[in-house]
Amino acid sequence: MKILKMPEGFIFDTENPNKVEFNPGPKGTKTPLHYLTEENTVWEFLSKYFKSKSEVQHPIFKNFTNSYFTSIG
C-alpha cells in the first residue's frame, strides 16, 4: 500500500518502508488512512510497517501531529 503524507507530499510504501518519494499531487484515488484502520489508531497501523532503526524513529512519524495520511492507488 502506498501512503501519502501531507502537507509534505511524501509517499511511503508499506512493501518497501525505506523508500520515500516526493509527489505533492499524485493522481489516483485517495482514501483517508483512518478509514482503513478502524481497529487501530493511524500511529499503531503505521508502526506495523515503518519500524525504528537503532532507536531512530522512521521519517513517516516526523511532525506526525501536523500531518494527515491517505492511501493512494
Side-chain angles (χ1 to χ4, degrees), residues 34-63:
H34 67 272
Y35 287 176
L36 305 174
T37 61
E38 293 176 6
E39 294 181 13
N40 299 316
T41 65
V42 171
W43 182 283
E44 291 169 332
F45 178 82
L46 293 174
S47 293
K48 292 179 187 178
Y49 298 101
F50 303 100
K51 307 281 185 197
S52 300
K53 287 194 176 185
S54 302
E55 298 185 31
V56 176
Q57 198 171 49
H58 191 280
I60 200 167
F61 297 105
K62 183 177 181 182
N63 201 22

Side-chain angles (χ1 to χ4, degrees), residues 4-12 20-26:
L4 172 64
K5 179 183 180 189
M6 292 300 284
E8 293 94 339
F10 294 140
I11 299 174
F12 297 87
V20 179
E21 299 173 39
F22 176 72
N23 186 344

Side-chain angles (χ1 to χ4, degrees), residues 1 13-14 19 31 43 46 49 64:
M1 169 188 317
D13 190 340
T14 58
K19 182 180 178 187
T31 305
W43 182 283
L46 293 174
Y49 298 101
F64 185 84

